[in-house]
Amino acid sequence: MFKEVKKSMQWGEETLTLETGKVARQADGSVIATLGETSVMANVTFAKEPKPGQDFFPLTVHYQEKYYAAGKVPGGFFKREARPTEKETLTARLIDRPIRPLFVSGFKHEVLVMCTVLSHDLVNDPDIVAMIAASAALTISGAPFMGPIAGCRVGCSDGEYILNPDVEDMHDLRNNPDQRLDLVVAGTKDAVMMVESEAYELSEDEMLGAVTFAHEQIQPVIDLIIDLAEDTAKEPFDFSPPDYSALYDAVKAAGEDKVRAAYAITDKQERTAAVSAAKEAIKASLSEEQLEDPNLGSALKKLEASVLRGDVVKTGKRIDGRNLDTVRQIVSETGLLPRTHGSALFTRGETQALVVTTLGTGDDEQIIDALHGNFRSNFLLHYNFPPYSVGEAGRVGPPGRREVGHGKLAWRALQAVLPAPTDFPYTIRVVSEITESNGSSSMASVCGGSLSMMDAGVPLKAPVAGVAMGLILEDDGEYAVLTDILGDEDHLGDMDFKVAGTEKGITSLQMDIKVAGITPEIMKKALAQAKDGRLHILNEMSNALTEAGDFSIHAPRIETMQIPTDKIREVIGSGGKVIREIVEVSGAKVDINDDGIIKIASPNNEAIQKAYEMIHSIVAEPEEGGIYKGTVVKIVDFGAFVNFFGKRDGLVHVSQIENRRLNHPSDVLKEGQDVWVKLLGFDDRGKVRLSMKLVDQETGEEMKKEEEAEG
């Protein structure tokens, strides 16, 4: 009944298996990839006819994590997987980015790639397995896909690169000093197509070495996919790229000079209007048949690209007049908003980000319900891209894939320099509002986020800046690497290469390639040019802020204290009675974890101090010879019991009340009276022995020997 085919190989420390022919046989391509005990099913379907008038390539990639894969039931009220999680959205983008450029140019049929996590061994991350499964499914589907690709993850520890490190090793890298890198690379047999990374101030050479290592490690996986395809691939879909050379010649003749003149305008809004006018003028000169040609949009885009790209490579001048390695003018400002904890406005040319930082307590941490377990995050970065930022009147809705992806890129760049939670026990939320955009608003978010956090008083290890690089690679091998690209240069260029980091090294690298021909030489040049741009931007940012600012009066204060774990129960009390009393009496918020770390939060320092003293009195042990202020709680014939240390009472014998003989303790004491006592020690039964006569009752200072003798 089934024509099942399996291919396996040893990959690193695990066995990688690809199988097809048994499940989802009505899909154009279906592959289940298994690494260790992590399995992902990828199914590919594509329309056999394009939609009439469609002028773009409608590729959709979905990645779904099923909780049953890890033997879990979804959390929350609705026990069913619903809207995509951040991890699912980011992984879908991770798969989309390297495969999209590899479809034959001009193919505009709808393509759907669905990756479903079926099993997760909590060791091998399913995102890499999903990428391999998707590539294999596309390769055998018959779609005009110029793959296959493969991907892998690379870690770096003790100067050594690690292939596909365990999920646990890559979790919470900020608090794992042994791991310095989380890098995902995807590529074909000959070229790297996509890079995504979180790094801890790695040098350019270290990053390039990691990318090269990854490209070498994916070669046997590509061979395995080809081996599978040789036995199972369907007949290639009958598709030939449309020939619109005659239409392009007509478009070029009608308006090349107009498009060239439009791209000579440096102001974005004026240039955009001029380009639109040039296109309309071209259309006005075309015949009805040419206007109805579905390739008209492609012909116009090709004309734009040839004008922009050719001039840059030949003259070294860009559409806004800059040289290849020049960064646009930068203006940095901090402290704009009076009630926020920290704020910054970062402007680079026609790209601008208003970034705001809010400091919260442990209650504000985000609880993330993931396949490999629940965990908390105390650093959040949210990126918003409203239509007005590009002068449009578009629809406003929930964050899309692009916003989630750009926000995560900025998060990766900044979290490497955050202080340890034990040193700065706050939840940090950074929100980047993009108010203008013309090239790399994600890197503007990195720069503005760094300034905003420093304005809020966050003691960053170092400021972080980011820069977006571009590439124009001609057919003859000539190329130009562009620093700080504009939106048009990104749209019509061959590479989007974003690098963020400190003066010391790289904290995040993201690369997307639109052509299968980038060489290590080009990548090395781009990294070196990006470093120069990053250092220039950091210098410009230093004009606004060089170190952490004053703490906002509106931000909560948090103090931490460590107590022995065997004292946690005493601080909480039966049914939480003790900790509730501490909160009510002090007015501070108190949070305690299983390790005995207590966070005390309040805008009022007196409330924090009161709570601290109350907790300290519960967990601390009184020291012999120490002097304490106490309250008389009971008077008996032979002395008085004094509550002097939290809930602890001790006896002041009648002979230790004053330096004279008393008939009865009540001669000088009464219940409720405050007194100073010295802890003499403990008797054979562990009872506390106190003395009043050794302490000056006015000042609380210990009496000197001479004064005692005189008394």
Side-chain angles (χ1 to χ4, degrees), residues 542-572:
S542 68
N543 296 329
L545 203 61
T546 56
E547 59 185 21
D550 295 332
F551 223 61
S552 169
I553 60 171
H554 305 297
R557 264 59 174 172
I558 300 179
E559 295 288 344
T560 60
M561 63 186 297
Q562 176 83 52
I563 66 169
T565 54
D566 58 356
K567 296 285 187 179
I568 294 175
R569 181 174 295 181
E570 295 180 36
V571 175
I572 296 175

Side-chain angles (χ1 to χ4, degrees), residues 579-588 607 610-611 614:
I579 199 166
R580 282 200 302 271
E581 182 183 351
I582 294 171
V583 171
E584 291 170 4
V585 172
S586 67
K610 177 67 175 176
M614 293 177 72

Side-chain angles (χ1 to χ4, degrees), residues 327-332 346 447 450-451 454 463-466 501-503 530-546:
V327 179
R328 289 170 288 175
Q329 182 182 1
I330 291 172
V331 178
S332 302
F346 180 83
C447 301
S450 180
L451 291 170
M454 288 194 291
V464 179
T502 65
E503 188 174 354
K531 181 179 181 181
D532 293 338
R534 185 174 83 243
L535 295 178
H536 169 75
I537 295 170
L538 283 169
N539 184 60
E540 292 294 313
M541 288 166 56
S542 68
N543 296 329
L545 203 61
T546 56

Side-chain angles (χ1 to χ4, degrees), residues 624-638:
E624 189 170 328
I627 295 175
Y628 304 94
K629 190 172 186 179
T631 303
V632 178
V633 293
K634 187 177 182 181
I635 296 176
V636 293
D637 292 342
F638 51 85

Side-chain angles (χ1 to χ4, degrees), residues 239-400:
F239 174 80
S240 298
D243 180 10
Y244 56 89
S245 55
L247 176 62
Y248 174 69
D249 290 340
V251 166
K252 185 176 181 180
E256 181 179 8
D257 55 340
K258 296 181 180 65
V259 172
R260 193 174 300 281
Y263 273 111
I265 300 172
T266 56
D267 181 78
K268 178 190 174 184
Q269 299 283 12
E270 293 179 18
R271 181 173 64 250
T272 301
V275 170
S276 296
K279 290 180 180 178
E280 291 302 318
I282 292 171
K283 291 177 182 178
S285 66
L286 299 178
S287 66
E288 286 293 328
E289 183 181 355
Q290 289 171 324
L291 288 173
E292 292 176 1
D293 193 315
N295 297 300
L296 177 58
S298 298
L300 289 168
K301 182 179 178 181
K302 184 177 179 180
L303 176 60
E304 288 184 75
S306 67
V307 168
L308 182 145
R309 295 161 60 91
D311 287 354
V312 171
V313 173
K314 290 174 187 173
T315 68
K317 293 290 184 183
R318 297 155 69 177
I319 53 179
D320 60 356
R322 283 183 292 151
N323 294 327
L324 299 181
D325 59 354
T326 302
V327 179
R328 289 170 288 175
Q329 182 182 1
I330 291 172
V331 178
S332 302
E333 303 171 60
T334 58
L336 284 80
L337 307 176
R339 291 286 298 191
T340 60
H341 300 165
S343 60
L345 184 68
F346 180 83
T347 309
R348 186 192 62 242
E350 294 169 308
T351 297
Q352 185 181 75
L354 174 62
V355 191
V356 181
T357 296
T358 307
L359 303 178
T361 65
D363 290 346
D364 299 312
E365 290 181 345
Q366 183 176 12
I367 302 173
I368 299 171
D369 184 18
L371 277 187
H372 61 272
N374 292 357
F375 61 94
R376 289 175 172 265
S377 175
N378 73 335
F379 178 49
L380 317 173
L381 194 148
H382 299 139
Y383 165 101
N384 298 312
F385 191 88
Y388 66 75
S389 65
V390 287
E392 295 178 357
R395 175 181 170 273
V396 178

Side-chain angles (χ1 to χ4, degrees), residues 25 109 137 158 166 174 182 399 452 462 548 558:
R25 291 171 294 161
H109 299 226
D158 296 326
D166 294 354
R174 177 157 56 98
D182 181 359
S452 173
I558 300 179

